[in-house]
Amino acid sequence: MKVIEKPVEIENGDSFKTILSKYGALALDKQENLSELIGEAIGDIDIEKGVLTFGDIEFPAQILGFYMQDAKQWSWAWDNEDIFGEDLIKSSCEIKAIGEEFNIKEFTSPVLNADFNDCHTLAMTATSILDMDAYYGVSDEGLDIFILIKSDLIEEINSPKKFRDTFYTFQKNFNIYPKIAFESYTKLKGYGFKPHDDFALAKIGEARIMADYTERGNITRLLIFGDDER
């Protein structure tokens, strides 16, 4: 009998840590695609026009929220329609609706006490949940405005080596559940996933990436079998 694979989705009772574990690695993957396009260029937001520009490159902008450095507080754009207008906060409102549906307080509290890394985790989850192509933070005089980007200009770059390196960076730098993260990243990328008792395989073309698990679900090794330079 064929086993139907469980899709990656938010479930009732998921903590924010679980949600970040499911969606964060894909967001880092998308950020690398953006970096390949813009290089070292610094972005600038025109709120009146609703565009984010990097020199000659222009993206339509969706304001997710902003971070006040002195107060160490994150504010969601959905609670600031008077500042940004209705059109620029549609994605932020979608995140609020998801938060209300699944009782995720991080998505439904208008203001959160946070550090700068917390802002990135919020933007990472939103990017992947809403199927956006990337996010970007514009800094200006103690204020960081986080913007979601959807654009065909951002090309998806794939390889087994990128997958391995992105996942390694994700599990090393964020407080997540690595076993959940590996499975979710694999499935969200559309790669084949094969679980075993103490390891799992991501199938990327002819290559295989093996993640060894401990009993507690931590990952001890990431190995590539096949061509890792493609």
Side-chain angles (χ1 to χ4, degrees):
M1 183 174 68
K2 184 177 180 180
V3 176
I4 300 176
E5 287 196 1
K6 184 179 179 180
V8 179
E9 56 190 8
I10 300 174
E11 300 178 43
N12 288 319
D14 276 358
S15 66
F16 183 76
K17 181 177 178 179
T18 299
I19 294 169
L20 176 63
S21 299
K22 289 179 176 180
Y23 293 99
L26 179 63
L28 286 187
D29 187 294
K30 292 170 180 277
Q31 292 306 105
E32 293 187 34
N33 299 335
L34 175 64
S35 295
E36 285 292 325
L37 176 63
I38 65 174
E40 299 297 321
I42 304 299
D44 183 58
I45 180 69
D46 187 325
I47 292 177
E48 290 187 2
K49 294 182 179 179
V51 295
L52 173 67
T53 56
F54 297 87
D56 295 332
I57 302 172
E58 183 175 290
F59 300 119
Q62 278 290 300
I63 311 296
L64 185 67
F66 58 90
Y67 180 62
M68 298 182 66
Q69 297 172 12
D70 290 343
K72 295 188 182 301
Q73 288 184 333
W74 165 273
S75 296
W76 285 102
W78 53 256
D79 192 49
N80 291 274
E81 182 178 342
D82 55 330
I83 298 175
F84 300 116
E86 182 181 356
D87 290 341
L88 292 187
I89 65 169
K90 290 179 180 178
S91 292
S92 185
C93 290
E94 288 182 54
I95 285 295
K96 181 188 179 187
I98 291 169
E100 291 172 340
E101 180 180 358
F102 294 99
N103 194 28
I104 306 164
K105 62 181 178 58
E106 287 83 358
F107 294 167
T108 58
S109 300
V111 178
L112 298 169
N113 294 323
D115 60 28
F116 195 62
N117 287 334
D118 293 329
C119 300
H120 281 284
T121 61
L122 293 168
M124 288 162 64
T125 55
T127 296
S128 295
I129 290 169
L130 299 181
D131 194 29
M132 304 299 276
D133 291 313
Y135 75 90
Y136 187 82
V138 175
S139 298
D140 184 24
E141 297 182 355
L143 189 71
D144 298 286
I145 301 175
F146 282 76
I147 300 153
L148 298 183
I149 305 168
K150 186 74 172 177
S151 174
D152 292 337
L153 295 176
I154 303 174
E155 296 183 5
E156 185 174 358
I157 302 167
N158 296 311
S159 74
K161 185 175 185 298
K162 180 188 178 186
F163 179 94
R164 180 197 63 188
D165 292 349
T166 298
F167 183 78
Y168 176 80
T169 299
F170 181 54
Q171 71 148 358
K172 179 181 178 182
N173 292 289
F174 295 90
N175 180 25
I176 59 161
Y177 300 112
K179 190 173 183 179
I180 293 174
F182 186 80
E183 177 178 351
S184 298
Y185 182 31
T186 303
K187 290 181 175 180
L188 288 172
K189 288 294 292 182
Y191 301 147
F193 177 76
K194 189 172 183 180
H196 297 270
D197 290 340
D198 55 359
F199 71 95
L201 290 174
K203 298 183 284 186
I204 307 172
E206 297 301 316
R208 301 292 184 268
I209 298 179
M210 183 176 76
D212 284 340
Y213 298 139
T214 66
E215 290 184 359
R216 301 185 65 179
N218 295 318
I219 291 178
T220 57
R221 289 190 305 171
L222 288 169
L223 300 175
I224 292 181
F225 300 94
D227 184 2
D228 65 347
E229 298 301 324
R230 290 181 298 129

